[in-house]
Amino acid sequence: VVRRHHFKGAPVSHGHKDQLRKSGSIGATAPQRVLKGTRMAGHMGVDKVTVPHMQVVKVDEQTNQIYLKGALPGARQALVEIQA
């Protein structure tokens, strides 16, 4: 949950051994269930994202490069699919 939801984590001192990056409590005991929308650990990072209205600035056929205007989602050196 530290990377996914930007939680701070626990302090390193004062008796914490393995609980430094864990989520902690998830709520009160009254409803006896996990409420919808509770930010918890889970899978992250393989969503396919479509970015509309990207502009092709230049196509260089000699080096096989396409220059786009704007920010692309994903990691560096990742595969990008371009649709017309």
Side-chain angles (χ1 to χ4, degrees), residues 27-48:
T29 58
Q32 282 88 24
R33 63 187 172 91
V34 178
L35 298 175
K36 283 188 177 181
T38 303
R39 297 182 296 174
M40 300 178 79
H43 199 74
M44 174 182 138
V46 296
D47 298 333
K48 186 182 275 190

Side-chain angles (χ1 to χ4, degrees), residues 4-72:
R4 187 177 187 193
H5 298 296
H6 309 291
F7 286 179
K8 298 281 188 207
V12 181
S13 62
H14 300 292
H16 294 285
K17 182 180 175 186
D18 299 324
Q19 294 82 17
L20 300 178
R21 295 173 60 89
K22 294 192 176 183
S23 61
S25 175
I26 60 169
T29 58
Q32 282 88 24
R33 63 187 172 91
V34 178
L35 298 175
K36 283 188 177 181
T38 303
R39 297 182 296 174
M40 300 178 79
H43 199 74
M44 174 182 138
V46 296
D47 298 333
K48 186 182 275 190
V49 179
T50 302
V51 179
H53 309 297
M54 291 292 291
Q55 237 178 0
V56 176
V57 178
K58 179 180 165 184
V59 176
D60 192 358
E61 294 181 4
Q62 293 177 349
T63 59
N64 289 331
Q65 291 182 346
I66 299 174
Y67 295 92
L68 299 174
K69 183 177 181 180
L72 289 176

